[in-house]
Amino acid sequence: LMFALSLLLGTTITITSNHWIMAWAGLEINTLSILPLIAKSHHPRAIEAATKYFMTQATASALVLFSSMTNAWHTGQWDITQMTHTTSCLILTSAIAMKLGMVPFHFWFPEVLQGSPIITGLILSTIMKLPPIALLYMTSHSLNPTLLTLMAIMSAALGGWVGLNQTQIRKILAFSSISHLGWMAIIIPFSPKLTMLNFYLYVLMTSAIFLTMNTVKVLKLSTLMTSWTKAPALNTMLLLTLLSLAGLPPLTGFLPKWLIIQELTKQNMAPTAIIISLLSLLGLFFYLRLAYCATITLPPHTTNHMKQWHTYKPTSTLIAISIVMSIMLLPISPMIPTIL
C-alpha cells in the first residue's frame, strides 16, 4: 500500500508541476516506489528486471535534469512550458523516449515486463507511462516533429516486427505497447490532445487484457490455449478486447487510429499515415494469434498441458467495466472533435 501511494504521489507531482526540478522529483519517487513491486517475488528474473529498470530510468532522469539545466542556462527559465533551446529539446525527447521505452531506447521494456508479476506489469504499462507522456504534452509545442516522426515509425515497425515470434504474453503486450507509443508520438507535435486520448484508450484496453490474464492465471500462449474451459465468457470478451487493441472497427481501438490518420492527412503527411497504418498490420497478426489461442483452439491439441478446472468464480466489476468500454466506445466519436 505504501509503495502504491508513493506511485500515485510521484505521478501527481510530475503531472501538476510547472518547475522542472519538481517534475524530476516526481519521476524519481515513481521509479523508487515501483522497484520493490518488480522485485517482490525474489526470483532471479525479477531482480534482473528491477536492476535493468533502475539503470535505464536513472539514466533517463539524469538526461531530463541535464536538458532542463541546459535550457535554464540559456534562457533563464525553469518553467516546463518554456522549453525553447533546441539542443535541450532534443535531449529531453530522447530522455522521455527512454522513460517510455520507445525505439531506439526500447530494449529494457520487454525484459522488465517479462520479469515482473502481472499486476506490476499492468502498472508499468499504464500508470508509469503517464508522467513522461504528460511532460511530452506540456512541451509539445517546442519538440522536433521530424525526430518524433522517425522514432514513431521505428517504434511501430519494431513493436510489430519483434512481437511476431514471441510466445510469452507479457512480452507480446510489451511490444504492443511499443507500437502504440509510436502512434502517440507521431501526432504529439500536431495535436497533443489526440495523443492523450490515444493514451487513455490504450490504458483502458491494456488494463482489461492484463486483468483478464490475471484472472485466468495465464502467462504464455500454450497455457492460453487451455484457458477456454476455465472461463468461456471472459475468453470471448478477451477476443474482442484484443481485436480492439489491434484497432479494428467497429471497436474502441479504431477511434484513436482513425482520428490520428485524419489529423496526419490534414498536416499533408499522408505518406507517413500510410506507412504507420501498414505497420500496424504487423501488430494485428500477433493480436489475432493471441485471440486464436484464447478462443478458437480447443483441446485435444498437440501441446502437453494440464487440464484446467472450470471455476464459477464471479468476474470482478472492474474487468467487466473496462472490457465493455474497450469494445463499445466507437459511437462516441462525434463528441471527440468538440472536446479536441
Side-chain angles (χ1 to χ4, degrees):
L1 181 66
M2 188 178 84
F3 292 126
L5 288 173
S6 305
L7 263 178
L8 289 173
L9 173 71
T11 307
T12 314
I13 288 175
T14 305
I15 292 169
T16 53
S17 59
N18 283 323
H19 197 284
W20 273 113
I21 298 291
M22 286 299 286
W24 172 79
L27 290 170
E28 286 298 300
I29 292 169
N30 254 6
T31 304
L32 293 175
S33 53
I34 193 81
L35 286 172
L37 298 179
I38 298 173
K40 193 169 58 176
S41 64
H42 300 296
H43 190 276
R45 196 93 198 245
I47 306 299
E48 181 194 343
T51 312
K52 283 178 177 170
Y53 186 77
F54 175 72
M55 302 292 268
T56 47
Q57 297 299 312
T59 313
S61 293
L63 281 174
V64 167
L65 205 54
F66 178 61
S67 69
S68 53
M69 280 169 64
T70 315
N71 187 61
W73 181 270
H74 283 279
T75 61
Q77 286 284 349
W78 279 101
D79 195 323
I80 294 181
T81 50
Q82 303 294 323
M83 196 76 171
T84 47
H85 188 244
T86 324
T87 317
S88 305
C89 289
L90 292 175
I91 298 171
L92 178 74
T93 310
S94 20
I96 291 180
M98 198 182 288
K99 278 217 165 284
L100 289 169
M102 275 172 66
V103 176
F105 310 104
H106 64 283
F107 298 102
W108 63 273
F109 189 55
E111 300 295 325
V112 169
L113 215 59
Q114 181 57 33
S116 314
I118 282 201
I119 296 299
T120 310
L122 170 62
I123 293 171
L124 280 171
S125 302
T126 54
I127 301 170
M128 295 302 288
K129 291 209 183 321
L130 185 54
I133 290 263
L135 287 179
L136 269 184
Y137 179 83
M138 287 189 273
T139 55
S140 59
H141 54 276
S142 50
L143 298 174
N144 184 340
T146 319
L147 177 66
L148 280 168
T149 306
L150 271 172
M151 285 167 104
I153 287 176
M154 287 197 302
S155 297
L158 197 127
W161 206 263
V162 187
L164 290 179
N165 62 348
Q166 299 295 335
T167 54
Q168 297 285 343
I169 290 173
R170 282 170 294 183
K171 274 198 174 172
I172 292 178
L173 288 170
F175 286 112
S176 134
S177 176
I178 291 169
S179 58
H180 274 271
L181 281 170
W183 281 89
M184 290 175 218
I186 203 161
I187 202 66
I188 201 150
F190 312 111
S191 174
K193 286 182 179 172
L194 208 47
T195 298
M196 295 314 286
L197 173 75
N198 193 346
F199 178 69
Y200 296 142
L201 292 179
Y202 163 75
V203 165
L204 183 68
M205 295 181 283
T206 307
S207 306
I209 291 171
F210 268 105
L211 292 170
T212 306
M213 298 299 179
N214 190 47
T215 306
V216 292
K217 298 285 177 276
V218 163
L219 293 174
K220 51 182 187 286
L221 287 180
S222 54
T223 47
L224 184 62
M225 289 176 181
T226 63
S227 67
W228 174 263
T229 47
K230 234 180 177 184
L234 192 57
N235 270 36
T236 313
M237 288 290 128
L238 176 64
L239 161 76
L240 290 170
T241 313
L242 283 163
L243 294 180
S244 180
L245 195 59
L248 284 188
L251 304 166
T252 306
F254 178 59
L255 174 58
K257 285 189 166 56
W258 180 21
L259 292 169
I260 286 172
I261 291 169
Q262 189 181 336
E263 185 62 37
L264 284 173
T265 41
K266 276 184 196 166
Q267 301 289 342
N268 295 326
M269 292 176 70
T272 316
I274 291 168
I275 292 168
I276 202 163
S277 310
L278 288 173
L279 289 172
S280 71
L281 291 176
L282 291 167
L284 175 62
F285 176 82
F286 60 75
Y287 294 124
L288 280 173
R289 189 161 154 226
L290 275 173
Y292 177 77
C293 288
T295 52
I296 305 167
T297 359
L298 291 177
H301 47 67
T302 50
T303 50
N304 293 326
H305 65 276
M306 300 271 290
K307 268 285 194 293
Q308 305 277 2
W309 281 96
H310 189 141
T311 49
Y312 288 101
K313 202 168 67 173
T315 309
S316 79
T317 323
L318 183 61
I319 300 181
I321 293 169
S322 58
I323 285 182
V324 169
M325 289 177 74
S326 304
I327 296 168
M328 296 185 176
L329 284 188
L330 190 67
I332 67 155
S333 49
M335 279 170 54
I336 304 292
T338 57
I339 301 166
L340 300 179

